[in-house]
Amino acid sequence: MFGQLNPGNGIETAGSVRVRLAPSPTGNLHIGTARTGVFNWLFARHHGGKFILRIEDTDLERSRPEYTQNILDGLRWLGLNWDEGPIFQSDRLDLYRQKIQELLDKGLAYRCYCTESELAQMREEQKAKKQAPRYDNRHRNLTPAQRAAFEAEGRTSVIRFIIDDEREIAWNDLVRDRVSWKGSDLGGDMAIARAATSSDIGQPLYNFVVVVDDIDMAITHVIRGEDHIGNTPKQILLYEAFGTKTPHFGHTPLILNQAGQKLSKRDGVTSIDDFQQLGYTAEALANYMTLLGWSPPDSQELFGLEEAAAKFGFERVNKAGAKFDWDKLNWINSQYLHSMPVDKLTEMLIPYWREAECEFDAAGDRPWLEQLAALIGPSLSRLKDAAGMSRVFFVKEVECSAEAVAQLAQPEASGVLEAILAHLDSEPVLTQAGAGEAIKKVTKEKNLKKGAVMRSLRAALTGEVHGPDLVQSWLLLHQRSLDRSRLQAALALKG
Ligand code: GLU
């Protein structure tokens, strides 16, 4: 017997599309969950439908309110605004209990009284016979007397939903096309609640509550990570048991690390928080996540979420896993940073300068901070990198790199530095034009190449031989009265 097949491409319900993101608050918002959120959001917006947020907090031991907060904050930061919710599963236990009772009453579910050790022994025996571990449905047909005896012993039960081994369950996946499973591969009658007693239904479990909620919220398309694909046949059987139409399912490719394995905590940076702290902008990260598994029809790579929503469709979502590409993410982020107005960039850099313990007065030094942001902005790919790049403009003294020491040891260096100091004596207020003139004058007077003058000046002022625009750097240091002392220190270094 075949399961219900969804006809067409699954998008015949334009205007009434209802999708949901259903994170479990057992950790901070993960990039995989956020990317699933992006695809759901794009799909909802593309079809003028609704994006619903549901917090799956039925795992009482592992769920934490601070993780819920982190998930809500992260989604808001990314611009993934939701239309309904957040709906908390923990508020809906009565509904789940009622629905479990309904299955018990219909004879589609039953109480299984097996103890942990009986189940463990069953698995051992299966292993010894080289069989896949499964529940062998041994309590499916207990007599009332057997049930009463177990309860008299004080055993609690697991409520199991009957799965017919002979069934084939198939659906047309939005990403993977036709997917089919055998009932016999689903591990036997499935647990839908645990720790039940004769008077209580116990704790409802994941696959069951998801279906109850998706029906209750009239979800039309379930879009989630490929790691859930094995849950889908079980869930389809539950839809059938409740006599409701199944939604469409789309299983999105997993995000993989460089080694081609599923990106996990061990890969270091995986939560949206981590990316935010490194200085990726929300727009760049959302843009990059959109490209993790989807390619736009016109191969445009930079776009906002709204723009992507106009083009989004599952026909361009890949089946294969999406490799996380740091270079691409950095490139996208740099494009956003480079096109950002300098006042906004300054605003975004201030927390990173603070974190790096740079000393400044955010109000009084504002024009100077903006000049600094304008100077380093074109070389930035992440905001956090600004700390290292800006350090030289905040600290009193710099330590010269080996290349800078070598530059300052050149025979012409002392003369250059002395001449620049003399210029500062004669014209104590440095302007952009004045700085350019001074470099030109020294070049001419000392009969040197301009590059040689600039290299010595840069080495003395910044302790490095490479860096952003020299005249601008000098002006910034001058405004903080750091140029003279550095020129003098470089001369002293030469002895
Ligand atoms: N709570 C599940 C998770 O965080 C999602 C379930 C679903 O989308 O069906 O992975």
Side-chain angles (χ1 to χ4, degrees), residues 20-24 33 36 54 56 206 210 214 222-225 227-228 235:
R20 82 316 189 261
L21 181 69
S24 305
T33 309
T36 301
R54 180 171 80 221
E56 303 211 318
Y206 165 74
V210 164
D214 286 340
V222 171
I223 299 161
R224 58 185 169 199
D227 44 343
H228 284 287
Q235 294 183 7

Side-chain angles (χ1 to χ4, degrees), residues 169-200:
I169 305 113
W171 72 95
N172 276 338
D173 198 270
L174 297 171
V175 180
R176 319 193 66 81
D177 307 325
R178 188 171 187 278
V179 181
S180 81
W181 284 73
K182 286 198 205 97
S184 52
D185 286 339
L186 298 179
D189 292 343
M190 115 199 205
I192 56 174
R194 65 184 169 95
T197 62
S198 57
S199 57
D200 182 38

